[in-house]
Amino acid sequence: MKYTFPILLLLAACQTTKNFDATAATNNIHQVIDDWHKAAADADFDAYFGAMSEGAIFIGTDATENWTKEEFAAFCRPYFDKGKAWSFTPFDRHIYFSVSGQTAWFDELLETWMGTCIGSGVLERKGDEWTIEHYVLSVKIPNESVQDVIEVKAAQDSLFLNRYEREN
């Protein structure tokens, strides 16, 4: 009797996985992310932030950019209101799923105004909908250029670390 609950959980997980259509989910996720990027390019605030869950986190390229959805929306509002947000064009994306098929994570290479960037994120399936839970945007730096970048940002890194230590 003590094994009944774990066995039922295992059977439920297997049933969920058995009914999971990875191809359809992959296509849905591509569409969600593509539409999300298009919403930014079109400065469609409601569509952009509508694709993100209420608890979503956006991490930008600056060390200070670790935003809740609400904070990120407040920061972005003036850009969207002017009709000019940003345009990121994905050219390579990989999507992965949890065993249950309820969570997906991805990475994507992007053409941006900053040059080549990489985005990575997590989506969660709620019913038939996928929502963006977490997104991280990073500027790609060629290995042979890392030392130059370290030197360029050394002063800003020092200021940031000092401020971070004081605040935490």
Side-chain angles (χ1 to χ4, degrees):
M1 209 38 133
K2 67 181 178 179
Y3 297 110
T4 303
F5 186 68
I7 290 170
L8 289 175
L9 283 177
L10 179 61
L11 289 173
C14 289
Q15 186 65 29
T16 301
T17 303
K18 181 179 168 188
N19 294 332
F20 178 67
D21 182 347
T23 301
T26 298
N27 292 337
N28 289 341
I29 289 169
H30 278 299
Q31 193 65 58
V32 167
I33 301 166
D34 289 345
D35 289 349
W36 188 58
H37 288 311
K38 185 176 182 330
D42 294 344
D44 185 340
F45 185 89
D46 292 335
Y48 186 82
F49 286 97
M52 299 170 74
S53 73
E54 288 307 309
I57 299 295
F58 185 97
I59 299 175
T61 58
D62 189 275
T64 64
E65 296 176 334
N66 188 327
W67 285 309
T68 64
K69 177 182 177 178
E70 184 178 320
E71 293 165 337
F72 189 48
F75 171 80
C76 293
R77 176 58 89 177
Y79 298 98
F80 279 81
D81 285 350
K82 290 177 187 170
K84 182 83 170 114
W86 53 86
S87 181
F88 295 168
T89 305
F91 61 90
D92 186 39
R93 183 181 295 141
H94 306 99
I95 298 173
Y96 313 90
F97 295 96
S98 65
V99 173
S100 70
Q102 299 299 304
T103 304
W105 55 98
F106 69 96
D107 56 81
E108 60 183 358
L109 290 172
L110 305 160
E111 289 182 45
T112 78
W113 64 271
M114 297 172 280
T116 304
C117 287
I118 191 166
S120 61
V122 176
L123 292 94
E124 186 173 25
R125 187 167 74 177
K126 297 172 183 167
D128 292 333
E129 302 287 321
W130 288 94
T131 58
I132 298 168
E133 299 291 328
H134 195 265
Y135 191 79
V136 179
L137 179 66
S138 302
V139 177
K140 296 296 285 178
I141 301 167
N143 289 334
E144 60 272 9
S145 300
V146 168
Q147 193 58 49
D148 295 334
V149 172
I150 291 169
E151 291 170 18
V152 166
K153 66 187 213 100
Q156 288 295 325
D157 280 356
S158 179
L159 292 172
F160 171 76
L161 290 172
N162 285 334
R163 187 174 69 241
Y164 182 84
E165 288 172 1
R166 281 193 314 271
E167 293 172 2
N168 294 297

